[in-house]
């Protein structure tokens, strides 16, 4: 028995089918999802501009006004704030339905693009080898992401973390492409995206800067080509954007008077970043064992693809690549450690996503070394013996480990979404939000709405409360052009239906 193209095609089709089935409940909730809280706050000016004029130029002016307001009062991430202000319900009450679909498209599309560049263009994988690897990576990534709110459903969280992460994946693919082709269009994409990333979350900004430096260093060592150093331009423009973000008066107001640059704190941050990175891996082993089983299965897919690869392409400086990938993963801990403040759900999401990316890179390097050694030892029968002594036993081990940790399935994104749907909570939430929207769009200046609890499964909801002066109340009223809004108490889901 040997690995044939027909078997690779079957594996690819089965992988895609499983992936699509798992996405069904996740995508279904896009029709239930609604804006709340921060979405209304950042959309105050832009909503008023659109409703009052239906002019995109007026909306752009309102977006700039939003950036200026929050830059001085709350945070300096100017690009993220600009995107926040364009949340879909600014333009239509039913437009929030696009959020989950859009974010999944960015997530999935950027991953396919990056993996195609690495696996097909650099490593020489066939399409039928590359597809199952990419699809199973996405399954692990989406299903075991720490928080689906900030990665799929909540526009503000997604705009601040998922959008920049997708941009980072595109930048890495373009950096690798530019290092071999030097196309102006590719450089333009790098320049634009990296500049904008300077105004996004600090993890994404750091990721792009490190990736650009890595590509410059490796290209120089491999080819001694000075043209690669033109990438210093986007590195500089992103750094300028990052400094502008970090110098925002709102950062000090948000983090306190002690917020600022400290050499001692910087050195401490570097050391603790490695410790926290290792700690997180331990947490993944305890909390997401099926994700690590998935990585083992991914390793087997990489071995299979390398065994049948027609053209031999060795990875240079393999030890250095592994070390640098671990440093890149560890660097994602730095912003939160340095700031020493509580972080949102998007931070552990990014940590997890970068862990999977860098771990997959390490597995690719390890698989390449292993298969190269096996080909020298087994010569013409590598694929047959790999199936017999590596692939089949490895798949059996993955099945045993998956069964052993089957309870972890309840933590996956699809299971959480399906439970939320089948319990009736999704339909109940949709009815309540539809009613709240109708009331907010009425003629009353002082609106009273039924209270909605904030326990909404995978969805983000910041409820209107009984206090008219509460922040959520004031931004919700302002978004709809009302004087005030309060919520009257109603039984929670748990009180009405129990467990």
């Amino acid at each position: 028995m040997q690995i044939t193209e027909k078997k690779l095609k079957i594996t690819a089709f089965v992988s895609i089918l499983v992936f699509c089935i798992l996405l069904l409940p996740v995508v279904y909730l896009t029709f239930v999802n609604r804006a709340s809280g921060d979405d209304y706050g950042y959309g105050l000016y832009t909503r008023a501009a659109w409703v009052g004029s239906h002019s995109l130029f007026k909306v752009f002016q309102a977006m700039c006004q939003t950036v200026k307001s929050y830059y001085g009062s709350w945070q300096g991430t100017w690009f993220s704030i600009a995107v926040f202000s364009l949340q879909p319900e600014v333009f239509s009450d039913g437009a929030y339905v696009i959020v989950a679909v859009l974010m999944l498209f960015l997530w999935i599309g950027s991953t396919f693009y990056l993996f195609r560049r690495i696996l097909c263009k650099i490593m020489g994988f066939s399409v039928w080898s590359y597809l199952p690897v990419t699809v199973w990576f996405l399954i692990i990534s989406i299903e075991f992401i720490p928080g689906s709110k900030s990665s799929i459903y909540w526009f503000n969280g997604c705009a601040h973390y998922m959008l920049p992460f997708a941009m980072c994946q595109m930048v890495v693919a373009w950096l690798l492409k530019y290092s071999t082709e030097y196309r102006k269009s590719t450089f333009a994409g790098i320049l634009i995206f990296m500049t904008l990333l300077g105004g996004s979350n600090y993890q994404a900004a750091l990721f792009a800067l490190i990736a650009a430096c890595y590509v410059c260093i490796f290209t120089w060592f491999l080819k001694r080509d000075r043209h690669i150093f033109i990438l210093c331009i986007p590195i500089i423009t992103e750094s300028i954007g990052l400094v502008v973000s970090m110098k925002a008066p709102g950062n000090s107001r948000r983090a306190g008077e002690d917020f600022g640059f400290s050499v001692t704190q910087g050195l401490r941050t570097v050391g603790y970043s490695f410790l926290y990175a290792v700690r997180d891996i331990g947490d993944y082993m305890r909390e997401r064992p099926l994700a690590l089983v998935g990585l083992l299965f991914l390793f087997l897919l990489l071995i299979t693809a390398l065994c049948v690869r027609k053209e031999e392409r060795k990875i240079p400086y393999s030890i250095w690549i592994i070390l640098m990938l671990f440093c890149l993963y560890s660097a994602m801990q730095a912003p939160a450690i340095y700031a020493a403040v509580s972080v949102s759900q998007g931070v552990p999401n990014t940590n997890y996503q970068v862990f999977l990316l860098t771990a997959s890179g390490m597995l690719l390097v390890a698989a390449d070394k292993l298969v190269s050694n096996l080909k020298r030892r087994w010569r013409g029968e590598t694929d047959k013996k790999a199936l017999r002594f590596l692939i089949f036993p490895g798949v059996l081990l993955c099945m045993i480990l998956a069964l052993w940790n089957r309870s972890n399935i309840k933590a996956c994104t699809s299971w959480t979404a399906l439970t939320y749907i089948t319990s009736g909570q999704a339909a109940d939430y949709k009815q309540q939000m539809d009613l709240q929207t109708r009331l907010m769009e009425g003629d009353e200046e002082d609106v009273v709405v039924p209270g909605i609890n904030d326990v909404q499964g995978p969805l983000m909801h910041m409820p209107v409360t009984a206090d008219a002066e509460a922040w959520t109340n004031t931004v919700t009223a302002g978004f709809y052009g009302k004087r005030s809004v309060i919520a009257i108490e109603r039984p929670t889901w748990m009180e009405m239906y129990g467990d």
Side-chain angles (χ1 to χ4, degrees), residues 125-363:
F125 282 26
S126 69
V127 173
W128 302 113
S129 297
Y130 138 80
L131 281 174
V133 170
T134 310
V135 168
W136 280 102
F137 175 86
L138 281 166
I139 289 174
I140 303 167
S141 183
I142 293 173
E143 291 301 329
F144 296 100
I145 193 80
S148 58
K149 290 179 174 68
S150 294
S151 59
I152 301 174
Y153 297 111
W154 183 35
F155 184 82
N156 268 38
C158 293
H160 196 44
Y161 292 99
M162 179 49 63
L163 173 60
F165 178 74
M167 291 171 66
C168 283
Q169 294 201 123
M170 295 297 294
V171 165
V172 172
W174 286 336
L175 287 168
L176 295 171
K177 182 178 181 180
Y178 187 76
S179 68
T180 58
E181 300 177 9
Y182 294 106
R183 291 187 179 180
K184 293 180 180 179
S185 58
T186 305
F187 178 79
I190 295 170
L191 180 62
I192 293 170
F193 273 33
M194 286 190 66
T195 302
L196 294 176
L197 284 169
S200 69
N201 76 78
Y202 296 143
Q203 288 175 296
L206 191 58
F207 184 100
L209 286 174
I210 294 173
C213 291
Y214 279 0
V215 170
C216 286
I217 292 169
F218 263 88
T219 304
W220 171 252
F221 273 103
L222 288 173
K223 299 191 296 185
R224 301 291 176 179
D225 190 345
R226 295 180 180 177
H227 289 92
I228 196 63
F229 291 116
I230 196 174
L231 290 177
C232 289
I233 295 176
I235 290 174
I236 292 171
T237 58
E238 183 185 327
S239 299
I240 292 172
L242 186 58
V243 169
V244 170
S245 174
M246 295 171 69
K247 288 291 185 179
N251 291 338
S252 298
R253 295 182 183 180
R254 183 177 184 179
E257 296 179 356
D258 295 333
F259 181 81
F261 179 74
S262 166
V263 175
T264 303
Q265 179 70 356
L267 294 174
R268 174 184 173 275
T269 297
V270 172
Y272 273 97
S273 293
F274 291 100
L275 293 176
Y276 280 42
V278 174
R279 179 206 62 182
D280 276 3
I281 294 174
D283 290 341
Y284 299 148
M285 294 177 67
R286 290 189 300 272
E287 300 169 7
R288 295 171 180 79
L290 284 181
L292 300 185
V293 174
L295 283 177
L296 175 58
F297 184 71
L298 195 70
F299 183 57
L300 298 175
L301 290 175
L302 290 169
I303 292 173
T304 303
L306 289 165
C307 284
V308 299
R309 184 177 57 174
K310 294 180 180 179
E311 184 181 350
E312 190 72 18
R313 301 184 187 180
K314 293 184 178 180
I315 299 177
Y317 304 110
S318 55
I319 299 299
W320 282 104
I321 289 177
I322 289 175
L323 289 173
M324 294 171 80
L325 286 173
F326 181 73
C327 289
L328 175 59
Y329 160 61
S330 300
M332 295 302 99
Q333 305 282 343
I337 295 173
Y338 186 87
V341 296
S342 59
V343 296
S344 66
Q345 194 181 62
V347 173
N349 281 353
T350 302
N351 289 343
Y352 176 72
Q353 290 172 300
V354 176
F355 163 73
L356 288 185
L357 270 182
T358 53
S360 299
M362 295 178 195
L363 291 176

